Structures are given as structure tokens and as C-alpha cells.
């Protein structure tokens, strides 16, 4: 009833027992697999069987390509001993972790996207702060550059206005008043 694939192999590499979950990877019918060498029983696993041929204890993640799709498995190999505590074979169990691996890859992709968004937001924040600082500097400079000359213009206008009112140039008073009004408007 176990959902994981399970094969019991003797010391000579022959299949002693297997469960129904192994069936999709079998080259032969399950009832004929008992007593056959494992490399003749498991289809498409030749490289892995060679890699783990003399390994008696292992816990590993493996990947296989089947029908153009990469499948991921968690592999566990455990020794089996007889009543005298001599090794009599190996128990090989594999669990399909393909969906978990795909979910992990998706999470990693989303993490990278979030990290890229965070970097972009940080850069935008820094650009906005730089623009605000530039605006403040501009306004400060422009305020100084406008106030200084306008203050002088207004001061001289008031002097001229006072002198003209006391003299004979009464027709210039209206023009000077306009200059003063315009300067006062810019200063405000």
C-alpha cells in the first residue's frame, strides 16, 4: 500500500521483492521481476544503478528524464541483515518529489522577482530623494537669486520715488510706481 517505490535486492543484485508503486518503471511484469537482476528490471535507470551498485547506505536526491520530462526522486538505500547480523541485501526506496521540486523552483523564481522589485524600488526611492534634494537646492538658489536683485530694485525705486516727488518730475512717478508694483509682486 506504500506510495513510494520499494525494491528489495539480494547481495547478488537480484530482485527479492517489490511493491506495486514500482510498476511504472519496470521493464518486465511485476510478477516476473522476482529473481531477475535489478538492472534488467528497472527501465531507464542504468546510470543510477551503476552509481549505487556497491552503495549499501545512502540518502540522496536524484533526477531522471522520462518522456522528455525531468522527474525528481528522494532515494534511500538501507542494508538488510540476516539473523546473524550479516548483510543479506539492500532495501531501495524512492519517493517522487517532482511536484515539491517544481514548487521550490517556482518559489525561487518568485523570490528572485521580489528581490529585483525591491532593488528597483530602492533605486526609485533614491532617485526621488535625489530629485527632491535637487528641487530644494534649485528653489533655494532661485529664491536667493531673485530676492537679492529685487530688494535692490525696490530700494532704489523708493529712493527715486521720494526724490521725484520732491522735484519737478511728477510725470515719472506713475512709471516708477509701476516698477515698484512689479518688483513687489516678484518679491512676494
Amino acid at each position: 500500500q506504500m506510495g513510494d517505490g520499494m525494491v528489495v535486492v539480494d547481495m547478488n543484485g537480484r530482485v527479492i521483492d517489490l511493491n506495486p508503486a514500482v510498476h511504472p518503471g519496470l521493464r518486465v511484469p511485476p510478477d516476473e521481476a522476482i529473481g531477475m537482476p535489478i538492472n534488467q528490471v528497472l527501465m531507464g535507470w542504468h546510470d543510477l544503478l551503476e552509481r549505487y551498485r556497491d552503495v549499501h547506505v545512502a540518502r540522496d536526491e536524484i533526477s531522471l528524464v522520462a518522456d522528455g520530462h525531468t522527474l525528481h526522486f528522494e532515494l534511500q538505500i538501507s542494508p538488510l541483515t540476516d539473523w546473524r547480523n550479516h548483510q543479506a541485501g539492500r532495501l531501495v526506496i524512492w519517493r517522487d518529489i517532482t511536484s515539491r521540486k517544481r514548487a521550490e523552483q517556482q518559489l525561487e523564481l518568485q523570490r528572485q522577482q521580489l528581490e529585483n522589485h525591491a532593488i528597483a524600488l530602492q533605486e526609485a526611492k533614491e532617485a526621488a530623494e535625489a530629485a527632491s534634494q535637487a528641487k530644494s537646492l534649485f528653489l533655494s538658489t532661485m529664491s536667493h537669486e531673485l530676492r537679492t536683485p529685487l530688494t535692490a530694485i525696490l530700494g532704489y525705486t523708493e529712493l527715486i520715488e521720494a526724490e521725484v516727488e520732491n522735484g519737478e518730475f511728477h510725470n515719472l512717478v506713475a512709471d516708477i510706481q509701476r516698477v515698484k508694483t512689479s518688483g513687489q509682486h516678484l518679491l512676494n
Side-chain angles (χ1 to χ4, degrees):
Q1 299 301 315
M2 199 164 82
D4 299 339
M6 188 261 334
V7 175
V8 178
V9 182
D10 69 10
M11 292 304 292
N12 296 318
R14 288 188 312 263
V15 175
I16 302 300
D17 197 7
L18 51 87
N19 70 346
V22 176
H23 185 353
L26 293 181
R27 184 178 292 173
V28 296
D31 55 339
E32 294 178 22
I34 305 297
M36 291 182 69
I38 192 166
N39 58 356
Q40 292 178 5
V41 173
L42 290 177
M43 186 169 62
W45 290 52
H46 180 70
D47 293 339
L48 289 169
L49 291 170
E50 281 300 311
R51 184 182 341 157
Y52 293 100
R53 181 178 47 173
D54 296 324
V55 176
H56 299 286
V57 177
R59 178 173 236 119
D60 205 355
E61 288 185 4
I62 59 173
S63 299
L64 296 173
V65 178
D67 299 328
H69 295 57
T70 301
L71 303 174
H72 303 278
F73 297 95
E74 189 174 80
L75 175 71
Q76 182 175 349
I77 301 173
S78 303
L80 294 176
T81 57
D82 62 15
W83 61 275
R84 293 177 301 219
N85 209 24
H86 294 114
Q87 187 166 352
R90 296 180 291 169
L91 174 65
V92 181
I93 300 174
W94 58 91
R95 171 174 288 144
D96 188 345
I97 57 170
T98 303
S99 59
R100 184 185 87 197
K101 283 294 192 179
R102 288 182 183 149
E104 287 172 358
Q105 290 170 347
Q106 190 67 21
L107 283 174
E108 177 60 20
L109 180 63
Q110 289 174 349
R111 185 198 63 77
Q112 288 176 353
Q113 289 173 340
L114 285 174
E115 192 173 285
N116 291 341
H117 287 304
I119 290 169
L121 287 174
Q122 181 64 30
E123 290 171 354
K125 177 183 175 242
E126 290 170 2
E129 288 172 350
S132 178
Q133 201 171 30
K135 179 190 80 165
S136 296
L137 179 63
F138 172 76
L139 291 175
S140 173
T141 302
M142 287 308 298
S143 175
H144 175 73
E145 293 298 319
L146 289 174
R147 284 181 167 278
T148 302
L150 286 176
T151 302
I153 291 170
L154 291 174
Y156 282 119
T157 305
E158 287 175 6
L159 284 173
I160 293 171
E161 183 181 33
E163 290 177 3
V164 170
E165 284 179 1
N166 293 335
E168 297 178 12
F169 309 111
H170 291 288
N171 53 349
L172 293 176
V173 173
D175 291 336
I176 293 172
Q177 186 62 39
R178 283 187 213 113
V179 170
K180 182 179 176 185
T181 302
S182 295
Q184 189 65 46
H185 175 73
L186 286 174
L187 184 61
N188 289 340

